[in-house]
Amino acid sequence: HNSYLPYICPTMSDYSSLANRVKEEVEKQYPNALQIKLLDHSSEGCGAKFELIVVSSTFEGMPLLKRHREIQNNLKSKGLFEEIHALQIKAWTGEQWEKKKGSV
């Protein structure tokens, strides 16, 4: 950022189009996912804040960190990751999702 200019927050519409692009990329990455949800928490201040929930059987036997990295690397390769201020990823198997749903 240019230090002479005050940082202007992007408008909410910018965030929603970014949210849509992120969701589209994740849907392409996991075409057989049971569920893909993107929650937009950007209204809480400056910067795009998203929560991503991906439920897919491809995560079976994969460590949590590797699941997150797989998603992050895909978004990085599409140039989207840098635009997101904060991204919380929840990557679960179908079985984990069923348990989580039951406990909520």
Side-chain angles (χ1 to χ4, degrees):
H1 298 305
N2 186 327
S3 53
Y4 300 112
L5 294 171
Y7 175 58
I8 310 295
C9 290
T11 63
M12 297 319 283
S13 62
D14 292 343
Y15 292 142
S16 63
S17 68
L18 175 60
N20 290 338
R21 279 159 56 214
V22 169
K23 191 167 188 272
E24 269 169 35
E25 284 309 331
V26 177
E27 282 167 352
K28 280 185 217 156
Q29 188 180 9
Y30 301 103
N32 303 321
L34 305 167
Q35 175 126 13
I36 292 175
K37 254 190 187 164
L38 188 75
L39 309 173
D40 188 347
H41 303 302
S42 303
S43 59
E44 298 158 11
C46 233
K49 293 191 186 79
F50 300 145
E51 182 181 345
L52 177 66
I53 299 168
V54 185
V55 183
S56 172
S57 55
T58 54
F59 295 140
E60 299 280 353
M62 190 191 288
L64 207 54
L65 195 68
K66 190 162 186 266
R67 301 175 192 181
H68 287 193
R69 217 169 260 154
E70 197 173 85
I71 294 167
Q72 287 168 349
N73 288 344
N74 180 47
L75 294 175
K76 275 178 190 161
S77 72
K78 302 291 187 291
L80 292 171
F81 194 73
E82 289 68 25
E83 292 186 46
I84 305 169
H85 177 67
L87 179 64
Q88 186 184 11
I89 299 173
K90 293 175 176 171
W92 293 324
T93 62
E95 199 179 317
Q96 287 172 319
W97 174 240
E98 286 304 321
K99 282 184 188 146
K100 306 266 181 207
K101 275 198 310 194
S103 65
V104 170

